[in-house]
Amino acid sequence: MTIQGFKTLRKYSIMLGAIASALSMSSTPAYAAGDLLVAPTRVVLDGERGTEVILNNIGSETATYRISMELRRMTADGRLEDVPEDQINEIETASKAMIRYAPRRVTLPPNQPQAIRLGVRAPDGLADGEYRVHLLFRAIPKARSVTEQSATEGGLTIALTPIYGVTIPVIVRQGNLQATAAIANGRMEQNAEGQSFAFDLSRSGNRSTYGEIVITKPGVDEPVMVARGIAVYPEVEKRTVTLPVPPEIAAQLSGPITVEYYETANAGGGLIAKTDMVLR
């Protein structure tokens, strides 16, 4: 093995060890962006108890991260968009006011985990419902020289530094909330990136739904496709789910299939919605 190959292997070994460490602290998956790993990827609180989110620097250098709170709304195509200050509603205002977190800035050596404490201070008389904010964990780039003389062109050399960030939802549920979902209008779509399987996922009730989509085919033991982290938030009654389909999978989706929507394992793994359809 070459020295470069050994360094690459060692880097991946360190990364996998850090991921395993973070996952051991939580029953839900972790997000990684750049050199930052965050677990869990979603937090649901009952309005009284608190919890922790674990950050881990999986890079090779010390890094500083800033933690901030954002408001985002889901669109009909499943995207999450920032809420302008002049459009924040009462539920979103209450959400920001009741959720506490600390610290708000951390500096981590390589492979060093840090717990971010989350808590809720719900006001008296809080109306039943689901309240949500999004926590953004973003790397703060190290200070560098703003301009440098270009030896070849005599001008300015501009260095672009990517800033990585991870966003997770933090949800507070007040009262006895219920929700149901339904799957309809499955179809294959073609775009510049290739084929996709799309369907409409509707929701009714006073809370969000969240889980994984499992697509099976009669006579085939293993699922044809599995997509995790599929949510429908209370601000939308229906959204489009679009799943990229590799060419080798597209042929298997032709004909009769079953599409199921399950809760995550740590939420009980129950079936939320199911439908049979035939794709042409």
Side-chain angles (χ1 to χ4, degrees):
M1 178 181 294
T2 65
I3 294 177
Q4 183 63 37
F6 177 77
K7 289 181 178 179
T8 301
L9 179 60
R10 184 174 182 272
K11 178 180 179 181
Y12 285 139
S13 298
I14 292 173
M15 183 180 298
L16 290 174
I19 292 173
S21 175
L23 288 177
S24 68
M25 303 178 188
S26 171
S27 59
T28 55
Y31 278 151
D35 292 332
L36 174 63
L37 183 144
V38 178
T41 61
R42 182 172 178 268
V43 175
V44 179
L45 302 172
D46 62 8
E48 296 181 358
R49 61 183 177 84
T51 190
E52 293 181 342
V53 175
I54 305 300
L55 307 187
N56 203 324
N57 175 11
I58 58 177
S60 58
E61 298 181 357
T62 296
T64 299
Y65 305 96
R66 178 182 293 116
I67 301 95
S68 59
M69 186 187 300
E70 298 187 339
L71 293 173
R72 296 185 175 185
R73 290 180 192 160
M74 179 168 278
T75 63
D77 60 1
R79 292 181 298 110
L80 290 171
E81 295 184 343
D82 293 333
V83 181
E85 287 291 332
D86 60 350
Q87 296 181 20
I88 297 175
N89 60 35
E90 292 183 2
I91 292 178
E92 291 161 341
T93 299
S95 300
K96 288 190 71 174
M98 76 174 77
I99 294 176
R100 305 284 192 269
Y101 63 97
R104 302 194 174 192
R105 179 183 173 119
V106 296
T107 298
L108 300 179
N111 302 304
Q112 177 66 50
Q114 168 74 49
I116 306 300
R117 301 181 302 277
L118 290 175
V120 179
R121 186 177 298 171
D124 294 337
L126 181 68
D128 289 355
E130 182 170 291
Y131 300 82
R132 186 181 85 251
V133 301
H134 293 258
L135 285 187
L136 172 62
F137 306 87
R138 176 170 288 173
I140 300 175
K142 294 182 178 180
R144 299 182 185 276
S145 176
V146 177
T147 60
E148 295 178 0
Q149 285 289 338
S150 172
T152 56
E153 300 179 6
L156 296 179
T157 298
I158 300 175
L160 299 178
T161 302
I163 301 176
Y164 299 102
V166 174
T167 305
I168 68 169
V170 178
I171 297 170
V172 177
R173 288 179 176 155
Q174 174 79 6
N176 184 21
L177 310 182
Q178 303 292 330
T180 59
I183 300 165
N185 194 25
R187 67 267 186 195
M188 295 297 295
E189 296 181 344
Q190 183 73 41
N191 53 39
E193 288 73 34
Q195 285 189 294
S196 298
F197 172 60
F199 60 92
D200 297 332
L201 183 58
S202 59
R203 177 205 59 82
S204 61
N206 51 9
R207 51 159 283 189
S208 61
T209 61
Y210 179 83
E212 62 182 33
I213 295 294
V214 179
I215 303 174
T216 57
K217 194 170 179 64
V220 179
D221 293 335
E222 297 295 325
V224 178
M225 287 184 65
V226 176
R228 297 180 172 86
I230 306 298
V232 189
Y233 289 126
E235 60 266 29
V236 293
E237 295 183 352
K238 182 175 70 174
R239 61 160 289 193
T240 300
V241 178
T242 303
L243 307 177
V245 179
E248 63 273 16
I249 300 297
Q252 299 182 49
L253 290 178
S254 179
I257 62 170
T258 298
V259 182
E260 297 168 307
Y261 186 28
Y262 287 96
E263 295 178 329
T264 57
N266 63 317
L271 180 66
I272 305 173
K274 175 181 178 179
T275 188
D276 297 321
M277 61 181 69
V278 178
L279 295 181
R280 305 297 182 185

